[in-house]
Amino acid sequence: MTAIPLAQQFLNLFAALLLLIAFAMLSQRRVLSLIRLFAWQGAILTLSIADSAWLTHQPHLYYSAVLTFVIKVLILPWLLHRLIRRLNVVWDVETLLNIPTTMLVGIVLVVFAFNLALPIAQLSNTILRNTLGIALASVLLSFMMMITRRKAVPQVIGFLALENGLFLAATSTTYGMPMVVELGVALDVLVGFFIFGIFFFQIRETFDSLDIRHMEKLKED
Amino acid sequence: MIPSLLPLDVVLLVLLGWGTVAILSLALPARLALTLVFPAAMAGSALLTGAGLWGLYGDAHATLILPIGLPGMPFHLRMDALASFFVTLLGAAGMGIHTYAWGYFRTLAAEDRDGFVRLCFFYLIFLASMVAVVVADDAYIFMVSWESMALSSYFLVTTDHEIVAIRRAGFLYLLMAHLGAIALLLCFGLMQQGVGGDYSFASFRQTRLEGIKASEIFLLALLGFGAKAGLLPLHAWLPEAHPAAPSPVSALMSGLMLKMALYGMLRVLFDLLSTTALWWGVMMVVLGLMTALFGVLFAAVQYDIKRLLAYSSVENMGLILSGVGLTLLFHGAGKESVAALALAATLYHALNHAFFKGLLFLGAGSVLHATTERNMAKLGGLIRAMPWVAGFSLVGILSLAGLPPFNGFVSEWLLLQAYLLRPELPQPYLNMTLPLGAAVMALVGALAAYAMVKFYGIVFLGQARGMDLTEVHDAAPKERWGLGWMAAGCILLGLFPVTVIRLMDAVTQGLLGKTVGHTAAQNGWMWLTPVAPERASYSPLILLGGVLAMILLMVVVLRSWGVHGRSRRSAPWDCGYPWQTPRMQDSADGFGQPIKQIFEAFFGLTREIPSPQDAHPHYHSEVTDPLWKWCYVPLNQGVEWLSRGIGRLQQGRISTYLLFSFATLLILLALVSGGAMK
Amino acid sequence: MKASALAFQLVQSLLVLLLAPLFLGWVDQCRAWLQNRRGAGVWQPYRTLVKLFYKEVVLAHDASPLFRVTPYVLFGCMALTATLVPMVATDLPLAGAVDVIALVGILALARVFLALAAMDVGTAFGSLGARREMLVSFLAEPALLMVFFTAASLSASTSLSTIVTVLTHRGFFLYPSLAFSGVAFLMVLLAENGRIPVDNPETHLELTMIHEAMILEYTGRHLALIEWAQGLKLLAYVGLGLALFFPFGMTESGDWWALPGALLAFILKLIFMGAGLALLETLSAKQRLFRVPEFMGGAFLLAVLAILIHYLLGA
């Protein structure tokens, strides 16, 4: 076991931390803390990508690490902060969320994801294959976070976290996507975020609230 | 030459003796029956214990063919290590219960002669049929004893048959028992393969069954024995029947009869069936753990003392069955030595459960006898009125809660070790989910402690809730002896685990070909080391000694420093609040409230909460078993629907009935001729 | 060898017994500093103990023998626990009697006794405290067990000595699973020792108190024993945490030359941990009681996740 190189150990640790953050996000009620957690997730993802770049000697991974850092640790959290301040939802707290049950479902998802990843990981011969299960689990967890949230901003954060999970999955199976794809995805995320932001203002104009339950009223009977 | 005496002969002698006394007691006056039946039960139990231990130590496995029964189908009896273990269990745990019953039933004997004599008769028949189940070596006598066990216990449950609720509970029990019995009949029928008329277990052992047929047998056995063991969702009779029965009978049913289901499972799955599949084990582990969790959650919210204990029996049987499942799993994966550990843990827990649950049911019986109250909301403070019962019950709850150095801890410890030992199983899913099983077990154990603190704290501690404690008397001497025997069992089984484990070697050797005892004792009799000393070890004696030494050291040091031992009595402090009434204590409902709140989704909960403006606030909350709604009611409706359909056949014209018979005959003939042509 | 190992055991036992109140005092002092108070000094718990020991015991009229026995049981259990946790040296001769599961069992035994004693007199506060204590513990106890199971899976043993030996002798190795169980363990430590997000050791407000509600009826030497046991429990937990997650600097029993170094390392770690605990308590707010099951459920699930991670990553 001691034969595993240190960088590899760090990679595992980062992956585990990402999962930990995914769970923390699942059980976090405050919007402000969610944004902070999201920034941390981005930071650890950056470290993880940089580490795998060093481990596999793939220089283009360094670029994507830098890209991740700029977009996910600096720009997006800053934008989110601005957004919630402008929307006046800084102290928003979600109510009515049975956290133990949610986390229990989360655990089931993790077991499922791990076992799903096992055969794929055995096929893939990259050194990073162990983290695939974790990446898959964080994708599923973020998805669940989007489902369980009622307020719009946490849902968007869930969406962004989902993208983080996908990114990790991509690095761990194929040593990262081609640069063009990565740039495209990064741009997509940014554009998506702006569109969401515009929507939020519109939603609030219409309903005086960001509670997406109000959207149910739009349904014609 | 005089044939040498064998354990089986002793068992046979006991059976014969009990049968004779049972019949004799019907003709005796009540007082004489009392002084004959229970000492006979005790003597028989002592003999059984001896015979069982003898069978476990010496490997004198004997078979016997009794020329009674149907023509051409004699009764086969056999006593191997597995049977010996259960004979020991029946005897050793039975001793305490019979002693207690001797004292407990004296009031019934004085009041209602006929009822009492009936009880005596069925009591002994019940005991005898349990023993006969264990030594049976063919399906025929097995089923006969299994059914007579069910019937005699039904009559014992309905001792107070004047009460409607008890009759209903008894009926439910009878129904479930027969459902199980049908499944068992089919199970044995499948095993018999349809050749000849040989229903002996010896012939079952020789036939090899594979594939779907073996799985069918497994499922039928699970259904049949699971109905007796209270496996989810077949547990519904347990919390109804146990409270309905007189307490010593509840103790017998919970402590001993439920173990017969375990015996049957082990016999069929490990002895008679030569094959096994991995998913059997998985299914049993999952079902067992679900049952355990379900049982303990419901135990924590009960307010009837005997229902609480009954649900706790469901929990413990769940743990035992998950242990069987674990054994099956490792056995199926070919890891026999871990399987042996799991099996030893399971058997150990069965033995422990017989003792502590018997003890607690007997203690509840004393409470019931002294106060005529089963509702915890009306009890309280009994430790001052009945110190003996309270003291023995304390041992019982500490054992049940799985605390060291008592016996419940040892078996749970061993079972957890089996979970953690985790050899590489062929399925990655299994390797990953087995620790989750350990997590569920840990949760169940902690919840059991919750339920036990509630049970003991509400019933024995605190202030009496509206009851005059001066009129409450402690248990009579014979009852004390019975309770004491059970409590001593709990303590000794907890303190000398290595000795107990060695007893089970013969059983695991017989079923799995591996033993645990030798490795467990490698560091001497004080240290329990199931695998290796550096892997895991536990020494209850040193633990107990350590705690006592620390206390002693403290007392000595304090005394030498001149700390005095003065104390005086005063009114309770309670933050200076002077108007304390007993109603301000937590009620049973109040104590269970957090569990209700957290696991609301599991319960069928109806609640009336008063509004702040109510002049006469009334709080009511009722927990019902959701499985009734999800399982039994639809089943009931289905059966009713079917019978309505069949009712339509009912025309009242004889010619129509004849037509049905005629049609049946024709179809059968066609089938037979079709078969013959092949 | 055997005698020297026994001597080691004895040294550690005495050390923990005497050190426990000091650690309690240190945490309180740190908290006082953080809250801009002068504090009573680190020796205050000793003064309290001595005062209580020499006071007369006042028992409620209806107190049963169970009530009087409980402080001794509590003290015995906690003292044994603190003795058996490897703090300065691994491989203590008596440590084999109690593995991690049994350790959790002893803690549970003490807790059950305390909860029962709280219900004994039959006051409203007593049963309230008992119920809350059991509520907290029924999730904390399995969480603690799962933390231990992760460590046990890492080292293929449930014996605390072996776990610590394996963890120390592997050199620098990152265990992602230990990161999870570390968080879970910290949550359990806070809950089980009546610390801030779950309980407040300084309040007698009926809405919040858990531990204090249970021991309201205790006076004199009984109370002193309980307080001391509480200190031992905290020390045992912190010692466990150090042994599992920062086992560096420990010596093997019988190695007298390494003892001063190990002792120094241990005391430094304790000073650091105590300050950290005080900081954590100052920074966080007391949770509503209804949130506590969520908190503990979170700890339990984190501990379960740790085991899953261990199986996936093999570390």
Side-chain angles (χ1 to χ4, degrees), chain A residues 80-121:
Chain A
L80 278 169
H81 270 294
R82 245 174 75 102
L83 185 68
I84 60 169
R85 233 175 299 135
R86 293 276 289 279
L87 287 167
N88 224 357
V89 288
V90 178
W91 302 112
D92 236 17
V93 175
E94 290 237 21
T95 47
L96 283 175
L97 189 76
N98 189 349
I99 288 175
T101 317
T102 327
M103 290 192 70
L104 213 60
V105 178
I107 294 245
V108 174
L109 285 182
V110 170
V111 173
F112 178 69
F114 282 9
N115 284 289
L116 211 60
L118 218 57
I120 309 174

Side-chain angles (χ1 to χ4, degrees), chain B residues 464-523:
Chain B
R465 291 170 176 80
M467 185 176 286
D468 186 4
L469 283 185
T470 51
E471 284 175 14
V472 175
H473 300 293
D474 205 347
K478 282 193 200 86
E479 295 167 31
R480 276 181 217 168
W481 278 107
L483 290 168
W485 171 267
M486 303 303 267
C490 288
I491 294 171
L492 292 179
L493 284 174
L495 287 184
F496 301 98
V498 177
T499 321
V500 184
I501 282 281
R502 298 211 78 150
L503 273 184
M504 290 157 195
D505 273 359
V507 184
T508 53
Q509 178 71 44
L511 295 186
L512 299 165
K514 284 270 173 21
T515 59
V516 196
H518 184 65
T519 37
Q522 58 188 304
N523 262 20

Side-chain angles (χ1 to χ4, degrees), chain B residues 648-659:
Chain B
R648 236 173 271 146
L649 299 177
Q650 201 85 346
Q651 302 280 337
R653 287 219 307 272
I654 293 179
S655 52
T656 324
Y657 296 149
L658 284 175
L659 183 67

Side-chain angles (χ1 to χ4, degrees), chain C residues 192-270:
Chain C
E192 286 282 38
N193 288 289
R195 295 276 142 184
I196 268 261
V198 176
D199 189 5
N200 187 349
E202 288 182 339
T203 182
H204 278 185
L205 200 66
E206 70 269 26
L207 283 176
T208 56
M209 64 179 168
I210 300 176
H211 180 75
E212 287 297 318
M214 287 197 292
I215 60 172
L216 267 182
E217 300 303 322
Y218 277 111
T219 48
R221 57 178 185 280
H222 291 164
L223 186 59
L225 281 174
I226 290 176
E227 298 280 349
W228 198 343
Q230 203 58 26
L232 282 167
K233 186 179 178 186
L234 182 64
L235 188 63
Y237 264 92
V238 171
L240 268 174
L242 290 176
L244 288 183
F245 305 107
F246 308 101
F248 317 108
M250 256 187 234
T251 161
E252 262 157 55
S253 82
D255 188 358
W256 290 98
W257 291 110
L259 186 61
L263 210 59
L264 192 70
F266 177 62
I267 287 174
L268 280 178
K269 282 192 277 189
L270 274 190

Side-chain angles (χ1 to χ4, degrees), chain B residues 585-605:
Chain B
Q585 304 169 88
D586 255 12
S587 61
D589 264 337
F591 209 90
Q593 193 268 350
I595 303 283
K596 269 189 222 170
Q597 192 92 27
I598 297 171
F599 296 96
E600 208 174 344
F602 285 82
F603 301 118
L605 201 59

Side-chain angles (χ1 to χ4, degrees), chain B residues 384 422 535 537 568 570 586, chain C residues 59 62 96 131 157-158 311:
Chain B
R384 286 178 281 284
R422 181 186 56 89
R535 165 100 224 188
S537 60
R568 77 183 153 87
S570 146
D586 255 12
Chain C
L59 287 168
D62 284 335
R131 163 159 47 88
S157 164
T158 60
Y311 280 87

